[in-house]
Amino acid sequence: MSPDTAAGELPDAEYLVLSSRLIPGRDGGYTIASLARARQLARAGVADGCGPQLLTFDPGTAAAHAEHRAFFAEHGELTDPSRMRNLFDEAAAPGGGAAAWLLAAADAAAAPEPGIEYRVLEDADGRPFAALPVIPGNPDWHLTAQPVLIHDASGEVVGGVRGFRGLYCAWLDHVTASFGDRRIVVICESRQLGELVADWSDPRVRIIHPIHTIHLEAPFTPDAPMSVFWKRWLALADRFDAVVWPTETQRDDVVARFGDAARHVVVPNPITPVERRDDLREDGLVVVLGRLAPAKRVDQAIRAFLAADVPGARLEIWGEGAEHEKIQTLLDELDAGERILLAGYTDDPGRVLDRASVVVTSTAFEGQPLGVVEALLHGAPVIAYDVRYGIRDVLQQGGGVLVPGGDVEALGDALRRVLTDDEWRARLSAEAPAVAAAWNPEHSLAALAAVIRDAVSRPSRR
């Protein structure tokens, strides 16, 4: 097998996956998809099956990061825990102060402007090794030019690097220093990181930048407003060797509005097939599963369920989040406690989905339809608002029912029809595996490998 076809269909290269943070139970589909991508590359043979180096950039403690790695490994979400590395774990030297690579990057003349607040980072023994500028109330904190200050083993500040960009790039240079002239494929999973590495002009490097979220604000139509952050990122998109969208609908909306100067491609996020347990199915059980966040509009799912008024039906709401207390108050006001259970967090969502007769999602928007596909894999039909992005891409193929976004009456009507029509519900459940197959790891890997092969065959865009 030639070097260019080693690791299955993937080019022979060093592979890095960049993630702002990976914390169990945080960031929803982003965390799930980023870890799935790393496992996908491991199964394809990257680093002899150990997988890519998974680089994280959140300034937590080394003990916390060790707990995260252990959790992901225990739950089968991380192939090789030693390949999940964190910048700040490696920025501290064993004997105190900053690591040699960070000391070498420090500019002795770097000094902050007067009045800038700093967060001093200490190692496990309480010795400072770096200090981060605090930019309160500014969503663009990651773009600051204020220096990150570097401490030596005596605790003295010996200089700094230019902002978070300087810090992150110093670590990336350190990580890649041992790669020689080998090609480096970087999969950048975070938009904030993308902004900071968009000018990484190392000729060895090709940057593939997946997107996980919707780029629009309310009302989430193709021409809806966008945040300044998204506008700035889209202005940089042509610097990446490929921008990867999880659905055709979102890719097409972006190209229609902003043009095709960037290389916009579609790679569905990989979702591992499961062995569905139809023997666990409970008649009349409706499930809402996900974060309890305002945009999920769980209150509308509750009202739709009550409006459907199907005898014997009951609703279980699984998940945690900021809306928990508000939802509980609503249930109390509606006196719905006998029919609706606010069940809390589950570490076995598959079992919940195996039990469900129907899954309902009333979200205002999505970035990727992971929850919908997972429900279909478990044979549970999905009733959902037709909102951007991803839900229509899946359910228009079968396995569920789409109703107009925000139409609680239509959501309730659809729920009543599916719950009371056993033949239709069985047909939707039977369709589900074929619909979900478009998101299986093999299909996703073939698409991703084609994108990577094309990127490494061309000159870098930076």
Side-chain angles (χ1 to χ4, degrees), residues 113 120 163 166 183 185 191 222 229 249-250 295 322 457:
E113 297 175 3
V120 178
R183 292 181 296 201
V185 175
R191 286 174 300 153
F229 186 97
T249 303
Q250 188 173 15
S457 71

Side-chain angles (χ1 to χ4, degrees), residues 2 9 72 76 113 145 184 219 276 283 305 311 322 331 354 369 374-375 379 383 387 407 410 422 430-431 454 456:
S2 70
E9 297 183 76
F72 291 137
E113 297 175 3
I184 303 169
R276 56 190 271 185
D283 289 341
F305 170 79
L331 295 179
D354 280 331
E374 287 167 356
I383 301 174
V387 295
D407 190 334
D422 294 344
E431 292 172 354
D454 182 76
V456 301

Side-chain angles (χ1 to χ4, degrees), residues 133 135 138-147 162-166 168 191-198 228-229 232-233 236:
I135 317 294
N138 186 346
D140 298 333
W141 58 268
H142 58 297
L143 300 179
T144 183
Q146 296 300 320
R162 184 176 176 82
F164 292 95
R165 183 192 302 272
Y168 294 178
R191 286 174 300 153
Q192 285 183 336
L193 293 177
E195 286 193 272
L196 299 182
V197 302
V228 172
F229 186 97
R232 188 173 60 236
W233 183 89
L236 300 171

Side-chain angles (χ1 to χ4, degrees), residues 202-331:
D202 188 321
R204 301 173 298 170
V205 171
R206 301 294 182 272
I207 301 178
I208 313 298
H209 198 323
I211 296 298
H212 298 270
T213 60
I214 190 169
H215 62 284
L216 304 168
E217 296 184 340
F220 310 112
T221 54
D223 58 349
M226 296 189 309
S227 68
V228 172
F229 186 97
W230 266 109
K231 291 178 182 177
R232 188 173 60 236
W233 183 89
L234 282 163
L236 300 171
D238 61 352
R239 301 187 189 180
F240 304 114
D241 297 288
V243 176
V244 173
W245 302 92
T247 65
E248 291 183 4
T249 303
Q250 188 173 15
R251 187 273 311 273
D252 293 348
D253 280 357
V254 168
V255 171
R257 184 170 177 179
F258 300 101
D260 59 358
R263 181 162 187 258
H264 297 289
V265 297
V266 176
V267 176
N269 285 318
I271 303 178
T272 303
V274 300
E275 184 177 348
R276 56 190 271 185
R277 293 284 308 277
D278 289 326
D279 58 305
L280 299 178
R281 197 80 58 207
E282 298 181 19
D283 289 341
L285 177 59
V286 180
V287 163
V288 170
L289 177 63
R291 288 181 299 115
L292 305 185
K296 298 303 181 182
R297 301 191 293 193
V298 176
D299 62 309
Q300 296 192 19
I302 291 170
R303 296 184 187 281
F305 170 79
L306 294 175
D309 195 24
V310 177
R314 61 207 183 281
L315 171 64
E316 291 182 358
I317 302 168
W318 289 90
E320 281 293 353
E323 294 282 282
H324 183 108
E325 185 175 343
K326 183 177 179 180
I327 293 168
Q328 184 61 64
T329 298
L330 176 62
L331 295 179

Side-chain angles (χ1 to χ4, degrees), residues 41-110:
L41 293 172
R43 287 193 294 267
V46 167
D48 295 325
C50 293
Q53 296 195 50
L54 187 52
L55 307 183
T56 62
F57 294 74
D58 66 294
T61 65
H65 295 141
E67 290 179 4
H68 302 160
R69 284 189 288 271
F71 178 92
F72 291 137
E74 180 182 349
H75 288 76
E77 297 175 348
L78 188 61
T79 305
D80 181 350
S82 70
R83 304 284 285 178
M84 182 173 167
R85 301 167 61 178
N86 177 267
L87 185 161
F88 295 97
D89 290 355
E90 300 186 8
W101 60 267
L102 189 49
L103 287 171
D107 178 356

